[in-house]
Amino acid sequence: MKKWSRRIRKLTADILELPKDVTLDFPRITMIGHLQIYIENHRGVLQFDHRELRLLLTKGQLLVKGSNLVIRTIFKEEVFLEGEIESIHYIDSNL
């Protein structure tokens, strides 16, 4: 049933030319250089310290690594992070 629902949402997004991050619950990531990152459509913080932020996504996780990381703003589905961002990794839940 989930497969059909996802296919219908994807088809609707394609036909109406809607952003896929909104219709399919994909994360939207905006980076400003290597010092700031704004992530939308996450499902919660799994882990955080000054070197790593791990977020739960609808399908998988997002791992941000760096140094001197600080969460400047956090809302239900949005997080704004500052620091020296070294890498961003998507971890698929199907692996």
Side-chain angles (χ1 to χ4, degrees), residues 65-91:
K65 291 187 175 188
S67 59
N68 302 316
L69 299 179
V70 176
I71 294 177
R72 291 292 179 204
T73 309
I74 187 165
F75 297 112
K76 183 179 177 185
E77 294 182 359
E78 303 169 23
V79 65
F80 180 60
L81 185 70
E82 286 186 337
E84 297 280 333
I85 299 165
E86 296 168 3
S87 64
I88 302 167
H89 303 276
Y90 171 73
I91 304 163

Side-chain angles (χ1 to χ4, degrees), residues 1-79:
M1 187 67 168
K2 273 189 170 184
K3 253 186 181 179
W4 284 105
S5 175
R6 190 167 182 84
R7 286 182 185 173
I8 290 170
R9 286 188 289 165
K10 183 180 183 319
L11 181 61
T12 303
D14 290 342
I15 291 170
L16 298 176
E17 297 181 8
L18 297 171
K20 290 187 180 13
D21 63 311
V22 173
T23 56
L24 299 175
D25 289 327
F26 289 157
R28 176 184 293 250
I29 302 167
T30 306
M31 280 190 70
I32 302 167
H34 68 284
L35 301 175
Q36 297 177 328
I37 187 167
Y38 181 71
I39 303 162
E40 300 172 79
N41 296 334
H42 72 87
R43 299 293 173 248
V45 175
L46 297 173
Q47 179 181 344
F48 175 73
D49 62 33
H50 68 279
R51 295 171 307 198
E52 182 175 293
L53 171 67
R54 185 180 299 262
L55 296 172
L56 180 64
L57 305 175
T58 301
K59 291 186 86 177
Q61 297 178 11
L62 188 71
L63 176 62
V64 180
K65 291 187 175 188
S67 59
N68 302 316
L69 299 179
V70 176
I71 294 177
R72 291 292 179 204
T73 309
I74 187 165
F75 297 112
K76 183 179 177 185
E77 294 182 359
E78 303 169 23
V79 65

